[in-house]
Amino acid sequence: MAEAPFTFIYGAYIPACDHRIDKYFEGYFTLQYIDAGAVEVIIDKQRYALNGQYFWSAWPGPRIAFHPPTGTRTWVHRYVAFKGRQVEDWKKADLFPVLPQRAPAGGDFADRFDALLQQFSRGETLGMRRGIHTLEGILLELAEARTLGDRNSTWSADVIRQLERWVLQGPPDYEALARRLGMSVSTLRRQFKRVMGVSPHEYFLSLRIAVARRMLAESPMPIKTLARRLGYQDVFYFSRQFHSLAGVTPAAYRRSAQG
């Protein structure tokens, strides 16, 4: 018997997801979406630290794992599982699979994901067709964002390298960076957000918190000293910002990471 063009298997919205998945996906595919919080994804031993709004997929072949990173408990999660000949068409068009990719800005993906889950759950032909249309629309938008990212990889990689240096070398100078790239600061912000899904400063803060995580886990340095090393003059402001982005206080993260 020929395989159906598309079969919806299951899907869900989990507002406080704490899943620990580590397996080979056999005979079906998934599209996963984190709307808030943090999750670590491992695909064939390649690790991805996702913080904020990201997509990724699972498919037969590689071993795929995902779980909360050290020091966090849950994230806001949506996913859909499916199979069928339609997936082969998406593969041929480079729409699927989706390696971990930041959600393009302004996509209203939480609402759209909820809509497709509702459409698939209707269990009738029209709902299925609407769900497939919604799912394919998301995959197309992600593919377009990847194409744009490839076109802009040179300048965006330059911006990222400079942001990485600024984490430990001093406060960001976005005006100087924009001048070097031949842009205004507003153009830099707009173009970077279009490619990366966040503003340069939001990306810089995520880098700084990532370094803070590593230092908290690996060093006995007092938190006040660590905060100053990262450019914070106020340890309380550092603690608030760390808690906002990591979901826990620096002290709690250190206790969890160091056992």
Side-chain angles (χ1 to χ4, degrees), residues 164-177:
E164 289 172 345
R165 285 195 290 267
W166 276 332
V167 169
L168 293 175
Q169 292 184 3
D173 187 345
Y174 297 113
E175 290 188 1
L177 179 57

Side-chain angles (χ1 to χ4, degrees), residues 73-145:
R73 295 182 179 178
T74 65
W75 70 92
V76 180
H77 190 55
R78 290 169 171 85
Y79 71 96
V80 60
F82 48 88
K83 64 180 181 179
R85 299 194 306 273
Q86 178 67 58
V87 183
E88 295 305 315
D89 293 337
W90 289 338
K91 288 181 179 179
K92 291 176 183 177
D94 292 327
L95 303 184
F96 194 88
V98 178
L99 291 175
Q101 176 182 349
R102 186 177 288 278
D108 298 324
F109 292 107
D111 290 342
R112 290 161 67 183
F113 218 109
D114 288 342
L116 77 85
L117 290 175
Q118 184 178 35
Q119 290 155 358
F120 283 142
S121 66
R122 287 165 54 179
E124 40 85 13
T125 301
L126 183 58
M128 185 64 64
R129 288 180 176 174
R130 286 185 177 275
I132 294 170
H133 177 76
T134 303
L135 178 56
E136 186 170 88
I138 292 173
L139 294 176
L140 282 165
E141 194 161 337
L142 293 174
E144 288 175 350

Side-chain angles (χ1 to χ4, degrees), residues 121-231:
S121 66
R122 287 165 54 179
E124 40 85 13
T125 301
L126 183 58
M128 185 64 64
R129 288 180 176 174
R130 286 185 177 275
I132 294 170
H133 177 76
T134 303
L135 178 56
E136 186 170 88
I138 292 173
L139 294 176
L140 282 165
E141 194 161 337
L142 293 174
E144 288 175 350
R146 291 195 297 274
T147 300
L148 180 63
D150 289 341
R151 291 174 186 164
N152 293 280
S153 60
T154 300
W155 76 263
S156 60
D158 187 27
V159 172
I160 290 170
R161 282 193 296 270
Q162 184 58 56
L163 293 175
E164 289 172 345
R165 285 195 290 267
W166 276 332
V167 169
L168 293 175
Q169 292 184 3
D173 187 345
Y174 297 113
E175 290 188 1
L177 179 57
R179 285 197 302 271
R180 193 173 78 188
L181 294 169
M183 303 177 181
S184 67
V185 174
S186 61
T187 299
L188 170 63
R189 289 181 183 136
R190 184 174 63 254
Q191 295 291 352
F192 189 87
K193 187 167 186 176
R194 187 166 63 170
V195 174
M196 301 301 297
V198 294
S199 70
H201 194 62
E202 288 171 325
Y203 192 91
F204 170 75
L205 291 179
S206 71
L207 290 172
R208 190 156 63 172
I209 295 304
V211 173
R213 285 175 186 265
R214 188 179 71 247
M215 293 171 72
L216 287 165
E218 298 176 358
S219 167
M221 183 186 304
I223 291 175
K224 184 175 183 179
T225 304
L226 185 152
R228 288 179 176 172
R229 183 77 60 86
L230 290 171

Side-chain angles (χ1 to χ4, degrees), residues 51-85:
N51 193 324
Q53 298 175 334
Y54 275 86
F55 284 92
W56 76 96
S57 57
W59 66 97
R63 185 165 186 162
I64 298 175
F66 51 90
H67 50 255
T70 301
T72 62
R73 295 182 179 178
T74 65
W75 70 92
V76 180
H77 190 55
R78 290 169 171 85
Y79 71 96
V80 60
F82 48 88
K83 64 180 181 179
R85 299 194 306 273

